[in-house]
Amino acid sequence: MDQRSSPDPVPSWVPASGHALRHVGVHFDAVRVIGFAGDEVAYELMQFTDFRAGPIVRSGVGDRSTYFLLPPRSAAAYRWPAGARLIGRDLPCDAFVGIPALEGRTWPLDWRSRPTGEAPFVAVKLLHEVAVAVLTGRVGA
């Protein structure tokens, strides 16, 4: 992606090619939702934001987790429902999340929603509301 002609700056934590591990709590916090539930939370969030939800990364291997990237030190203010796991700076151990480049080969990671100048992170409060609704079965109820 050519940053000079792009309307949205590429965050410094996004690698230029391939994918890279980034230390959680430095550039962002993350909430992980495993499997189909992660896809469902992402879909509902993207529908609500007119497909401008901010950075959401999906892993194509293992438990097929979806990672919602939030502003640093923002996620601990919420009590996340069962099925959503906070990954932040306050954990007793270091944590890393794989981040794909915006273009090219990035398997097994891909962007479900990309960071933009307008939405550099997922909105924490909105993600919490959507995650609670989806993970407790209250979506569409």
Side-chain angles (χ1 to χ4, degrees), residues 8-138:
D8 299 315
V10 177
S12 63
W13 42 267
V14 174
S17 63
H19 51 78
L21 291 176
R22 297 294 187 233
H23 194 203
V24 177
V26 174
H27 299 290
F28 51 79
D29 281 355
V31 170
R32 180 181 74 173
V33 182
I34 295 173
F36 177 73
D39 288 335
E40 191 174 354
V41 171
Y43 176 77
E44 293 295 330
L45 188 64
M46 290 188 305
Q47 286 279 358
F48 192 81
T49 61
D50 198 24
F51 294 88
R52 291 185 289 260
I56 303 171
V57 175
R58 182 173 44 189
S59 173
V61 296
D63 56 19
R64 300 188 186 277
S65 294
T66 302
Y67 296 88
F68 301 86
L69 307 184
L70 313 169
R73 310 224 29 151
S74 65
Y78 293 86
R79 186 167 184 220
W80 296 93
R85 180 173 175 235
L86 165 64
I87 306 170
R89 184 177 209 141
D90 299 326
L91 293 177
C93 61
D94 287 338
F96 297 85
V97 170
I99 303 297
L102 294 178
E103 303 293 333
R105 295 182 181 197
T106 63
W107 190 88
L109 303 172
D110 69 335
W111 289 104
R112 184 73 201 256
S113 176
R114 295 173 180 223
T116 65
E118 180 181 280
F121 297 104
V122 171
V124 183
K125 182 178 182 203
L126 180 58
L127 173 62
H128 183 260
E129 291 170 3
V130 171
V132 167
V134 169
L135 297 172
T136 62
R138 289 190 269 169

